[in-house]
């Protein structure tokens, strides 16, 4: 019974440590600790989709974009209308601008969460 409890405690400790490591881990090199965020989180933020603004409606907060593949929501290239998370995001943008943007799926609606002019 004591061995079973010890094994259970060890397994629980290892599981908890691996869950923490998967989200935010510290790598020790030569006695120094360096913290790194999980790779997948950084990769998702870096993968902005490419697009070209076709139409903007600042009153409704809608934007029509001809875009390439949007990997974050598994969407093939097409032209479609998106809502924006905040109408202020549309300031400084105009039809014809090349942009980089992020989208998230909210229920059955796709919402632009970040947009900037392409360099």
């Amino acid at each position: 019974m004591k061995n079973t409890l010890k094994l259970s405690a060890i397994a629980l400790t290892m599981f908890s440590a691996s869950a923490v490591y998967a989200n935010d881990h510290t790598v020790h090199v030569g006695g120094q600790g360096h913290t790194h965020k999980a790779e997948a989180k950084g990769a998702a933020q870096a993968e902005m989709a490419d697009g070209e603004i076709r139409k903007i409606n600042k009153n409704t907060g809608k934007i029509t974009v001809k875009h390439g593949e949007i990997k974050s929501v598994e969407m093939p290239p097409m032209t479609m209308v998106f809502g924006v998370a905040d109408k202020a995001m549309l300031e400084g943008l105009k039809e014809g601008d090349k942009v980089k943007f992020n989208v998230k799926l909210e229920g059955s609606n796709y919402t632009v969460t970040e947009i900037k002019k392409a360099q």
Side-chain angles (χ1 to χ4, degrees), residues 73 83-85 103-113:
V73 292
V84 294
V103 173
K104 76 175 178 180
L105 180 60
E106 298 177 317
S108 62
N109 298 313
Y110 293 94
T111 303
V112 174
T113 58

Side-chain angles (χ1 to χ4, degrees), residues 1 11 15 31 38 41 58 62-63 68 83 94 117:
M1 182 75 168
F15 176 75
K41 185 175 182 182
K58 292 181 181 179
K62 303 277 185 188
I63 186 169
K94 65 185 184 316
K117 288 184 183 180

Side-chain angles (χ1 to χ4, degrees), residues 13-61:
T13 301
M14 290 175 67
F15 176 75
S16 297
S18 66
V20 169
Y21 180 80
N23 291 321
D24 189 13
H25 60 278
T26 302
V27 178
H28 294 278
V29 179
Q32 304 260 339
H34 302 280
T35 301
H36 299 275
K37 296 288 179 191
E39 297 295 325
K41 185 175 182 182
Q45 291 175 347
E47 290 259 1
M48 295 182 84
D50 294 312
E52 181 180 330
I53 298 174
R54 297 297 188 165
K55 187 175 179 182
I56 297 175
N57 187 328
K58 292 181 181 179
N59 293 327
T60 62

